[in-house]
Structure formats: structure tokens, C-alpha cells
Amino acid sequence: MTNTSDFLIENGVLKKYTGPGGDVVIPEGVIAIGYSAFSDCTGLTSVTIPGSVTRIDGAAFRGCTGLTNVVIPAGVTKIGYAAFFDCTDLSSVTIPECVTEIGAFAFGGCTRLSSVTIPERVTRIGGAAFQGCMGLSSVTIPEGVTEVGSYAFRDCTGLSSVTIPETVRKIGAGAFFDCTSLGGVTIPEGVREIGEDAFSGCKGLSSVTIPETVREIGKGVFSGCTCLTSVTIPDSVAEISEKTFQSCTGLTSVTIPDSVTEIGSGTFWGCTGLTSVTIPMNVTEISKSAFHDCKALTIHAPAGSYAQQYAEANGYPFVAC
């Protein structure tokens, strides 16, 4: 049984737990679990959070390596920065429907976390919120989320499927970086920006369709996606940034849309399987390293285009189209 003297509580905020751990019951009437209240309490195995709690502040349970599961009560609206960071034994968590914000690093490093349900009121998944959750196999991001934060699911190596709703407008930098088991992803209509390295290192990713709403594809978005065999680039994209498809060794052909005017540095560097690229007349700048090490490549483009000049200057076979 928990001793009430183990808790430092001020104005309803649990400031610090000083007990030995084990199965802890937080007293009724506590309205918030304060910053770092249980931080590094490695002996904590379970915690009962009363229904009076409305927020869990930053680092509240950070480093509680013995904590195996937690039920967050229905009244909680915010899970703060790194609230459960490095709770390496945490295998399941229930996030209540009232939560609107999942803070950065909230569950980062929870390597055994195998399932999580993100409630529909959440509008933003913070940066690195689930980074390193290697046990996660699938995630459904609910309608209402507008942004998947930078590195939100980085190194979730067991993640094989993800559902992204049409409400999402931005996929942050490195959001799915090194999710090596991710086999396919549908980027929905409505997404306007895909941050740099968003899907970099997703070695199992075989195909991707980028919707017409996307205006910006960041650097290295699909770099290292070695199983990627096909990609559709929409007419809304004006520039293919540097290293976008670097080392996509399974990519065999690409058609560049008429809207593109520039192909950046190292865009297709190391795409050793690329045999054909179709480049429109509107392209007026191609980096010398854009197709570095694409030894089997033939460039298809209109006669008299900049792409023809580029092909001839860099020793690529050219076919007028």
C-alpha cells in the first residue's frame, strides 16, 4: 500500500514521488502529475492514476524502466514532453479520448511498446513522440491530426503498416526514418509538405504515390528505400530536391512531370537499377551529380531540350520523345 508521505503535493500538483516504487496508487484529488515527478524511479512497476488528473507534465515518468503498463484516465487532455521517455518495459498504453496533444518524445525509447491507440481529438503528434518504439507493428493516425511531427516514428523498425488520414497537411522531417519494415504507404490528398528524410531508410517500401496537393518534397525523402520500384510524382511539384531518391537501387524508371524545372544534387545518386528517365522541356537545371552512378540510364526528353544537352555532356544515351 502506498504511503501518502511518499508524495510531495502542492496545490493539487504532484511535484515529486519519493517512495520505493512497486505498485503505486496516486492519491485522489491530484489534478496534475508535475515535471519529472517519477523520473528515473526504476523500481516503479505499476501506477494507478486517479480520475482527477487532467495533465501529465514533461518527463513525469521518464526512465521508469520497470513500468510495464499504464492506464491514463479519461480526464487527461495533455501528455507532456518526454512524459514516458525510456520506459523500456512499457508494453501497452491506453490514451483517453480527451487527449488533444501528444508531446515530443512522449513515448520515445519505449522499445517494448507493441500497441497504442491514438484518440480522435489529437491534432498533432509531437516530434519523436514514438521514436525507437521497435515493438510497434501498425499505427492508425486518426482523422483530425494535421501534422505528424519530425521523427515521430523514427527507428520504429517493426512498423509494417501505417494509416495516414486526409486531415494531415504536413509529414515532418524524418517522420518515418529507418522504419525498415514499412512495406507500403498511401500519402493522402491534403498533404502539402513532406519533410526531408521523411521516409529515408525505409528499405521495405516498394511503391509510393505522391498526391497532387504536395507542393514540397524535402531533401532525401526516399533516400535508401532500396525496394522502391515505382513512384508517381505529381504535377504540383516544381523541384525535386537533392538526394530525394538517392540509393533507391530498385527504381527502374521515372517520369518527371511538366511542372518540374530543377533536378537537384544527387537526386538519383546510386540508383543503379534506373534504366529510363523521362525529362520534360521545362527542366532548365540538372545537377551534374543528379544521376551519379546510374550506369544503365537512358535519358528520354524532347529534342533541343536542356535534358538533351545534359545527356550529351555527361555521356548518357539520349532518346528524343
Side-chain angles (χ1 to χ4, degrees):
M1 184 173 179
T2 306
N3 192 327
T4 55
S5 64
D6 292 338
F7 301 97
L8 174 61
I9 300 170
E10 295 179 2
N11 299 319
V13 178
L14 198 169
K15 293 287 189 178
K16 193 67 181 174
Y17 171 74
T18 58
D23 301 329
V24 173
V25 178
I26 296 174
E28 290 288 340
V30 170
I31 59 173
I33 301 173
Y35 179 82
S36 198
F38 289 88
S39 184
D40 296 321
C41 183
T42 56
L44 182 68
T45 55
S46 72
V47 60
T48 301
I49 303 173
S52 54
V53 170
T54 59
R55 75 174 196 267
I56 299 173
D57 289 345
F61 296 94
R62 180 185 60 196
C64 292
T65 53
L67 187 63
T68 57
N69 64 78
V70 63
V71 176
I72 300 170
V76 171
T77 59
K78 179 182 178 181
I79 300 172
Y81 175 92
F84 295 92
F85 184 79
D86 265 357
C87 290
T88 52
D89 273 358
L90 189 64
S91 59
S92 66
V93 63
T94 301
I95 302 174
E97 290 296 327
C98 286
V99 169
T100 58
E101 181 181 349
I102 299 174
F105 294 95
F107 297 95
C110 294
T111 54
R112 293 190 182 181
L113 188 63
S114 59
S115 66
V116 63
T117 300
I118 301 171
E120 293 185 358
R121 290 192 183 185
V122 171
T123 57
R124 184 178 184 275
I125 299 171
F130 297 95
Q131 177 176 307
C133 293
M134 296 181 289
L136 278 181
S137 59
S138 67
V139 169
T140 298
I141 299 171
E143 294 285 339
V145 171
T146 59
E147 181 180 347
V148 181
S150 297
Y151 304 103
F153 297 95
R154 178 177 180 164
D155 294 328
C156 290
T157 53
L159 188 63
S160 59
S161 68
V162 62
T163 302
I164 303 173
E166 293 186 357
T167 52
V168 170
R169 298 291 175 264
K170 179 180 179 180
I171 299 173
F176 297 95
F177 186 94
D178 269 359
C179 290
T180 53
S181 297
L182 194 61
V185 64
T186 300
I187 301 173
E189 294 287 340
V191 172
R192 299 191 182 108
E193 180 182 347
I194 304 173
E196 62 182 69
D197 295 322
F199 295 94
S200 179
C202 292
K203 296 178 181 179
L205 194 65
S206 59
S207 66
V208 65
T209 299
I210 303 169
E212 292 286 344
T213 51
V214 170
R215 300 289 182 267
E216 183 178 347
I217 301 174
K219 299 175 183 178
V221 167
F222 299 104
S223 63
C225 294
T226 53
C227 286
L228 189 64
T229 57
S230 66
V231 62
T232 301
I233 303 170
D235 285 331
S236 54
V237 174
E239 177 187 352
I240 302 176
S241 299
E242 61 186 76
K243 301 180 181 179
T244 301
F245 298 100
Q246 180 175 298
S247 299
C248 290
T249 53
L251 202 58
T252 57
S253 66
V254 173
T255 298
I256 311 290
D258 289 340
S259 56
V260 171
T261 59
E262 180 180 347
I263 301 174
S265 173
T267 298
F268 296 95
W269 183 304
C271 292
T272 53
L274 191 63
T275 58
S276 171
V277 62
T278 302
I279 302 175
M281 179 66 79
N282 291 341
V283 171
T284 56
E285 185 174 347
I286 305 173
S287 169
K288 186 174 182 179
S289 65
F291 297 98
H292 180 80
D293 208 25
C294 296
K295 296 176 181 178
L297 179 65
T298 296
I299 292 178
H300 299 253
S305 64
Y306 178 83
Q308 181 180 3
Q309 298 175 39
Y310 175 87
E312 292 170 351
N314 292 278
Y316 294 107
F318 174 78
V319 175
C321 62

